[in-house]
Amino acid sequence: MASAIANSTKMALTRPSSERMMALKQLQCSIFSTTFNPTSARTGAKYLKGRLRGEALVNYYPQNISFSKIQKLYPELELEDEEEVQRLEDLAARKARGKGPPPKAKSKEESRRATKKKR
């Protein structure tokens, strides 16, 4: 009798085979509707299950309003952007001193790159 009890406890303590554990894991996944991933490959399922955050992020930041947008929305106010006027005056002054941007080449032969390649 004692030997029968000892044999039954030995049988209960043995570990199931890896094939049997794999089959059990596959059955568990099918029951609980989870993905079976025996190789533990990265699938990104954690992020795919989550809610999309794009709309919340877009709404978090306030809309960027510039002076030019206000001018376009309300042309009847005839607003004048002082910074833009100052910038244009500075550009005109620099151009008068010869410090403006170089003229654009009208053809490929006039470009500086073309003249450097010929040399």
Side-chain angles (χ1 to χ4, degrees):
M1 180 80 172
S3 64
I5 294 172
N7 284 342
S8 67
T9 56
K10 270 188 183 178
M11 291 293 260
L13 295 178
T14 57
R15 219 166 196 207
S17 66
S18 62
E19 294 86 20
R20 189 152 173 117
M21 286 300 290
M22 193 70 70
L24 179 66
K25 187 75 173 166
Q26 195 169 8
L27 180 65
Q28 176 185 344
C29 288
S30 67
I31 291 171
F32 295 110
S33 299
T34 58
T35 54
F36 179 63
N37 189 4
T39 59
S40 299
R42 293 178 145 202
T43 60
K46 171 180 163 183
Y47 300 102
L48 293 172
K49 280 189 226 168
R51 291 187 326 156
L52 296 175
R53 297 183 180 150
E55 189 66 32
L57 289 175
V58 167
N59 293 335
Y60 180 79
Y61 294 102
Q63 195 175 23
N64 190 9
I65 300 173
S66 66
F67 192 85
S68 61
K69 286 182 183 177
I70 295 172
Q71 274 182 321
K72 287 176 187 172
L73 284 173
Y74 305 105
E76 66 274 3
L77 294 178
E78 297 177 9
L79 299 171
E80 192 173 276
D81 188 1
E82 293 176 10
E83 290 179 6
E84 182 66 15
V85 171
Q86 183 65 44
R87 186 184 76 83
L88 294 173
E89 287 174 2
D90 292 345
L91 274 175
R94 284 181 60 123
K95 199 162 195 168
R97 294 193 323 255
K99 302 288 185 177
K104 284 189 105 175
K106 292 181 177 58
S107 67
K108 194 171 185 179
E109 292 79 31
E110 291 179 10
S111 71
R112 286 179 53 201
R113 283 187 175 176
T115 56
K116 282 185 181 180
K117 287 181 183 176
K118 287 181 182 178
R119 290 182 191 173

